Amino acid sequence: MIVRCWMTSHPLVVADEEMPIEEARLLMRRHGVRRLPVMSGSELKGIVTLSDISAARPEGAAADDKPPQESKRLRVCDVMSKKVLTCDANCPLEEVGALMRREKIGALPVMNGNRLVGIITESDVLDALVSITRVGKDMRRLYLRVPFARKCDIFREVIDIGIRYGIELYTLLTHPIRDSDSHLVMLKFSGDRAEGFVQALWESGYQMLITDNP
C-alpha cells in the first residue's frame, strides 16, 4: 500500500501563513479536521494544529467563545510548526506509519517534488489496516501459526490449495510472533468450498488458531 491511495487530496484544505488563527480554527471546524498544511503561495511553510491554536488562546477561553482580542492579533505563522516532516505520494504506508509513531506526530503533508498534493493522517493509516484485515459479506478469515522453517512454504501452499478448492484469496499477511519461533499468518478469503479449503490447510500440518464461523 502506498500513501497516494489513502491520503486526502480532494478537497485539500490549507491555511495561508498570514491567516488569523481564529479564521484557521473556524476553517478546521467547518471541514472537520484538526490540522492544516500552511502555505505561502505554492510553497509549504509549516503545519498548524487545533492544539497549536488552542494553546495560543488565553487561558479559560472556550472553543466557541468569540475570539479574544489577543487571538485576533495572532496569525497562523505565529503558532504553526515550521519544521515540518513530509512524505512522498509513492511512499509505502507502513514507512509513514512508523515515522509518525517514532516522531509522535499525527499527520504528514504529502509532496510530489516541491508541490503539496495531499495530507496523510494517523486515521488514514488505521483505515488502511482495517481495510485489508476486516472481512466483508461472504468472506472468511483464518489465522495460522507457522514455524519459521515453513514460512516460505505458506505462500505457495495456500495458493495451490486455494486453486484446488476454487478459493478467492483477498489477503495473505504474515509477521513474526513476538518472543516466539513462529509466524502468524492471516488469510482473508471466500468461496463455496471454503470448509474444504480450511480442512486441507489443517491436514497440511498448519496450526490453526482462529477461524471465522461461516
Side-chain angles (χ1 to χ4, degrees):
M1 294 186 293
I2 58 175
V3 166
R4 70 168 63 250
C5 297
W6 294 95
M7 69 185 187
T8 298
S9 56
H10 302 290
L12 178 58
V13 187
V14 302
D16 185 89
E17 65 174 348
E18 296 298 325
M19 178 183 288
I21 65 169
E22 291 300 325
E23 186 176 332
R25 182 177 69 85
L26 292 175
L27 186 62
M28 291 182 196
R29 184 178 177 185
R30 184 161 63 248
H31 289 276
V33 298
R34 293 180 292 139
R35 51 185 73 81
L36 299 171
V38 181
M39 308 296 292
S40 176
S42 60
E43 182 182 359
L44 178 67
K45 303 296 287 187
I47 190 166
V48 65
T49 69
L50 187 58
S51 296
D52 295 330
I53 293 173
S54 297
R57 301 181 102 221
E59 187 175 353
D64 294 329
D65 281 349
K66 291 183 179 180
Q69 236 9 76
E70 297 91 328
S71 295
K72 290 182 179 180
R73 293 193 292 267
L74 290 174
R75 300 167 299 164
V76 167
C77 60
D78 296 320
V79 301
M80 70 182 186
S81 298
K82 297 179 181 179
K83 186 178 180 181
V84 57
L85 295 174
T86 65
C87 67
D88 186 87
N90 291 320
C91 185
L93 201 63
E94 62 271 22
E95 292 185 10
V96 166
L99 177 61
M100 288 184 190
R101 181 176 175 83
R102 184 171 64 248
E103 299 296 329
K104 295 181 173 60
I105 54 178
L108 294 173
V110 183
M111 309 297 292
N112 184 0
N114 294 322
R115 183 168 63 93
L116 177 71
V117 294
I119 186 169
I120 186 85
T121 71
E122 56 192 354
S123 294
D124 297 326
V125 175
L126 183 58
D127 286 344
L129 175 63
V130 169
S131 75
I132 63 173
T133 57
R134 184 175 55 192
V135 294
K137 185 179 179 181
D138 300 323
M139 292 184 190
R140 297 280 300 275
R141 182 171 44 209
L142 173 65
Y143 293 92
L144 306 172
R145 185 185 184 104
V146 181
F148 280 140
R150 298 194 64 185
K151 186 187 72 164
C152 294
D153 297 333
I154 185 68
F155 295 96
R156 174 181 54 80
E157 292 184 0
V158 165
I159 291 172
D160 287 347
I161 297 172
I163 291 172
R164 194 193 319 157
Y165 284 87
I167 292 299
E168 185 169 0
L169 186 63
Y170 299 97
T171 305
L172 195 163
L173 293 176
T174 176
H175 65 83
I177 300 175
R178 187 177 298 175
D179 301 322
S180 170
D181 60 354
S182 302
H183 270 66
L184 181 69
V185 178
M186 190 278 283
L187 307 177
K188 188 169 73 172
F189 60 94
S190 67
D192 293 337
R193 301 171 64 195
E195 285 303 316
F197 172 67
V198 172
Q199 182 63 29
L201 288 173
W202 179 269
E203 292 172 357
S204 294
Y206 293 114
Q207 181 184 1
M208 215 163 292
L209 300 180
I210 304 172
T211 180
D212 288 339
N213 293 323

